[in-house]
Amino acid sequence: MGTWDIGPFDNDTAADFGGDLDEAALEEREAMVRGALRRSADSADFLDADDGERAVAAAALVAAQHPDGEPTCANYGPSEPLPEMPADLRTLAVDALDQVASERSVLAELWDDAANGSKWRQDITRLRDVLDPPLPPQEEARFDV
């Protein structure tokens, strides 16, 4: 695994994905992000590590366009602009991240055996929470209905 840190683009596969996005025509980039997310979200078998790494990178690109999102890695992520991602990609990205973090993911298995595995899982959760924010706790009712 050519991985140097826990970030979405901190591995060879995701960095290559960023380069592929840069080389693609602007109108092809959304489809590439969608395809990376769909391969992971729709995985019926074990999700291989490369598909998982591309899905995390794609989810980070979708999250970066959300008001609460963070910019993606300037060094290894795409340097060319991306089109505005449609809102439906947020749901697809959440589904893909759920698969990436599941027990049927080779990438999750590899990270579970790594020293920074818990930090990687926190980063996946942070991305997921940007895309699908958790509901705030509800206050108890002050009166009976």
Side-chain angles (χ1 to χ4, degrees):
M1 185 161 78
T3 300
W4 49 90
D5 207 350
I6 64 166
F9 285 93
D10 292 345
N11 60 76
D12 291 333
T13 302
D16 289 346
F17 179 63
D20 292 344
L21 285 166
D22 282 342
E23 292 173 6
L26 180 64
E27 61 273 7
E28 296 172 352
R29 294 178 190 155
E30 177 196 328
M32 292 173 69
V33 169
R34 185 178 297 278
L37 294 171
R38 187 164 308 287
R39 272 190 300 284
S40 291
D42 294 346
S43 178
D45 264 338
F46 255 76
L47 178 63
D48 74 33
D50 288 345
D51 283 343
E53 288 169 334
R54 278 188 288 275
V56 171
L61 294 172
V62 174
Q65 292 187 355
H66 188 279
D68 294 331
E70 297 175 10
T72 56
C73 176
N75 294 335
Y76 303 107
S79 55
E80 295 298 318
L82 293 171
E84 186 67 29
M85 297 292 169
D88 74 298
L89 282 185
R90 288 185 193 157
T91 303
L92 187 58
V94 167
D95 292 345
L97 289 173
D98 287 348
Q99 285 290 82
V100 166
S102 78
E103 67 278 350
R104 295 181 28 211
S105 167
V106 173
L107 184 59
E109 187 177 303
L110 291 169
W111 275 109
D112 286 344
D113 292 338
N116 288 338
S118 64
K119 288 181 182 177
W120 177 82
R121 284 198 177 272
Q122 289 172 351
D123 202 48
I124 297 298
T125 300
R126 180 190 55 76
L127 271 177
R128 192 186 187 293
D129 287 349
V130 167
L131 296 162
D132 185 26
L135 294 174
Q138 299 294 315
E139 291 185 30
E140 288 187 39
R142 298 183 192 264
F143 53 90
D144 290 330
V145 179

